[in-house]
Amino acid sequence: MDIQITTQAAPQIQCDALIVSAAQDKGHGLQFSSVAIAINDVLNGLLDELVADGEFKGAVGELLTLHPMGRIPAKRVVVVGLGDRERITIQTLQRSAATAARHLQATGARHIVLAMQWSGGEISALQSMQAQVEGALLGLYTFRHYQHRDEPAQGVTRLQLFSDGLNQDEVEQAISRGRIMAEATNLARDLVNEPPNILTPTELANRASAMAREVGLECEVFDRAKIEELQMGGLLGVTRGSAEPPRFIVLRYRGAPEQGNKGMALVGKGITFDSGGISIKPAAGMDEMKGDMGGAAAVIGAMRAIALLKPHINVTGLVPTCENMPDGASYHPGDILRIMNGKTIEIVNTDAEGRLILADALSYATREGLSPIIDLATLTGGIVVALGTVMTGLFCNNEQLTQQILRAGQLAGEKYWPMPLDDEYREQIKSEIADIKQTGGRPASSVTAAKILENFVGDAQSTQWAHLDIAGTSYIEDKKAYQEKGGTGVGVRTLATLVLMRSA
Ligand code: BES
Ligand code: ZN
Ligand code: ZN
């Protein structure tokens, strides 16, 4: 994608479509971007007339298309609604840009100019620029590698960002950040969308190592022998039923070499297909369990963004990956597994596999002395019941880190909701014969899952830890105006933003 700045006067801009915006200003009608006002003037008040006739209300994501018929060089002008001006967030800007860009791509546009120009409240003009670039690139995303087409797939190949009165270098930096964030998110989406016969644990490791080579990260991939040597009993237990060998992926970014081996850890659940194993899942919707590596995808995407953004901090990405399959060799309900840190877990349901492979990865991160440790996992159906597809569940043993993640989420356009880690929930995961029981039953199942993970990180004083349950947010079943069905890439931008916030 070719992305540039344009400082041309709005009525002179030549393109397939010019995207402008309108926010609702309570009691004062609509507030148009200055480019929209200039276009309205050249077109003798066409926009005012359409609004007066009730054609456009400016609701979030609402589109109004104008055809100037040669009166200006832009072939079309699309006005996108931003909704109530008091409620505009970075996510609003991203999704509005995405909706407009996606709509235009579907109608054949190749060259788009973004002139939404919103800033105000807590959002600066540069953040708005970044959000527009992110939004457009996220909205233009498609996954069609496996589909034959009669016509060659065309799409938007050129984006220009309208910028007046801003420092060009700063705008360039905002564009570059936006591009890095969006492309890393789209990489994570690709990984989630790949079918499980292609994206095996081996292939996931190959993709991670190819990415690492491309952007200059260190990458180590542990095979079964090494995983056995490390005594990762959770990963070895879950992988038993699969014909595919397990992998443990380590990605290292050393942005602060003087800090030695200290730094942050990002850990992602990498189940490339979750059939449930012996505790097999119902057939309906099982295909979506190709996305049970959404946490791994987020970590791999975030590590790519971090490598390109070059913050002054060390970050290690860890991905335990395998399949969860039924077989004569599968692990059973009733088994007791010994995790890398020595703790034992009584298995009651082989479908609760994510916490087992994460237990090994968290033990590994803790043994390396990494802090904070942030894990991401499509961990529980319970979080989908609690928060749906709108917000990611955030479990954290440190209040300051909680606030940082919430803030990083706002800046990244992703929503998180704090969930409890109260010790009374430990009652539910007491075992009669092992150190802990694998599941705590239906009540608060997302919380008890998090409480299990807590056993594998150091205490809150030595190790700051956050667990993000993305089971509801990493995959959408129904397409939206701003995004197609499939992986969302959730977590990538929040993690990269969090790392930037903590670097400085
Ligand atoms: N991968 C699933 C969780 C999931 C559910 C992800 C829906 C995405 C959408 C996980 O491995 C699982 O099956 N969890 C079970 C655990 C239960 C058996 C204790 C759950 O939460 O229902
Ligand atoms: Zn499962
Ligand atoms: Zn799973």
Side-chain angles (χ1 to χ4, degrees), residues 8-294:
Q8 267 190 312
Q12 263 101 62
I13 296 175
Q14 198 162 3
C15 58
D16 292 332
L18 184 59
I19 301 175
V20 298
S21 74
Q24 297 165 333
D25 189 1
K26 272 197 206 108
H28 304 278
L30 292 177
Q31 180 185 341
F32 288 99
S33 56
S34 71
V35 170
I37 293 167
I39 301 278
N40 181 55
D41 290 345
V42 185
L43 300 181
N44 305 322
L46 175 61
L47 198 47
D48 289 335
E49 193 167 324
L50 287 165
V51 171
D53 288 346
E55 292 278 343
F56 180 75
K57 305 270 192 280
V60 181
E62 187 185 350
L63 301 180
L64 172 69
T65 305
L66 307 181
H67 293 264
M69 310 287 281
R71 282 179 286 169
I72 56 171
K75 269 176 71 187
R76 274 184 287 178
V77 177
V78 170
V79 190
V80 59
L82 299 176
D84 180 353
R85 58 164 287 159
E86 303 292 332
R87 292 168 173 268
I88 295 172
T89 61
I90 285 175
Q91 187 181 66
T92 313
L93 298 176
Q94 289 171 342
R95 288 188 176 173
S96 303
T99 300
R102 195 165 181 80
H103 167 76
L104 286 165
Q105 177 163 262
T107 52
R110 310 294 305 272
H111 172 195
I112 290 178
V113 176
L114 294 159
M116 287 167 46
Q117 296 178 291
W118 175 264
S119 65
E122 291 209 320
I123 304 172
S124 71
L126 289 170
Q127 286 173 329
S128 167
M129 295 271 180
Q130 182 183 332
Q132 286 180 66
V133 172
E134 284 169 352
L137 295 176
L138 293 170
L140 295 172
Y141 175 82
T142 57
F143 184 80
R144 297 282 182 282
H145 312 307
Y146 296 94
Q147 200 166 51
H148 290 103
R149 290 182 166 233
D150 296 337
E151 295 157 40
Q154 294 200 327
V156 173
T157 53
R158 186 163 176 219
L159 279 181
Q160 278 182 303
L161 205 66
F162 178 81
S163 156
D164 63 350
L166 290 171
N167 178 305
Q168 298 288 99
D169 290 343
E170 287 177 351
V171 175
E172 291 286 0
Q173 206 203 340
I175 292 177
S176 154
R177 249 190 209 201
R179 181 204 280 269
I180 289 169
M181 294 287 186
E183 287 178 352
T185 307
N186 288 339
L187 165 63
R189 289 174 171 183
D190 274 344
L191 294 173
V192 169
N193 291 336
E194 283 289 355
N197 58 326
I198 302 292
L199 198 92
T200 59
T202 304
E203 179 62 12
L204 183 63
N206 289 345
R207 301 261 179 126
S209 96
M211 179 280 287
R213 218 170 309 124
E214 183 200 331
V215 300
L217 289 171
E218 288 171 35
C219 178
E220 259 187 292
V221 176
F222 300 163
D223 62 6
R224 189 192 299 271
K226 176 76 181 173
I227 293 166
E228 280 169 359
E229 187 189 313
L230 290 168
Q231 303 187 344
M232 294 183 161
L235 183 54
L236 290 166
V238 175
T239 195
R240 283 185 58 94
S242 173
E244 293 291 335
R247 293 285 184 261
F248 189 90
I249 307 166
V250 183
L251 293 164
R252 284 185 214 277
Y253 169 73
R254 292 184 203 273
E258 78 286 355
Q259 289 167 25
N261 291 328
K262 294 280 162 275
M264 285 177 74
L266 308 179
V267 178
K269 171 178 171 183
I271 296 290
T272 61
F273 189 72
D274 182 12
S275 70
I278 295 300
S279 314
I280 198 162
K281 288 179 181 293
M286 202 199 271
D287 57 309
E288 280 177 22
M289 283 301 129
K290 71 173 184 176
D292 209 18
M293 32 56 70

Side-chain angles (χ1 to χ4, degrees), residues 322-388:
C322 69
E323 286 185 326
N324 186 23
M325 298 292 281
D327 182 78
S330 291
Y331 79 129
H332 326 84
D335 283 358
I336 295 179
L337 301 181
R338 185 183 302 274
I339 304 302
M340 182 185 171
N341 75 347
K343 289 197 187 179
T344 56
I345 306 186
E346 176 193 356
I347 303 304
V348 286
N349 186 322
T350 63
D351 196 12
E353 81 298 335
R355 59 200 74 188
L356 305 173
I357 70 168
L358 286 171
D360 281 322
L362 294 171
S363 303
Y364 185 90
T366 302
R367 198 191 69 179
E368 294 231 320
L370 301 171
S371 177
I373 301 173
I374 320 285
D375 79 71
L376 289 90
T378 48
L379 201 66
T380 66
I383 206 71
V384 191
V385 175
L387 302 177

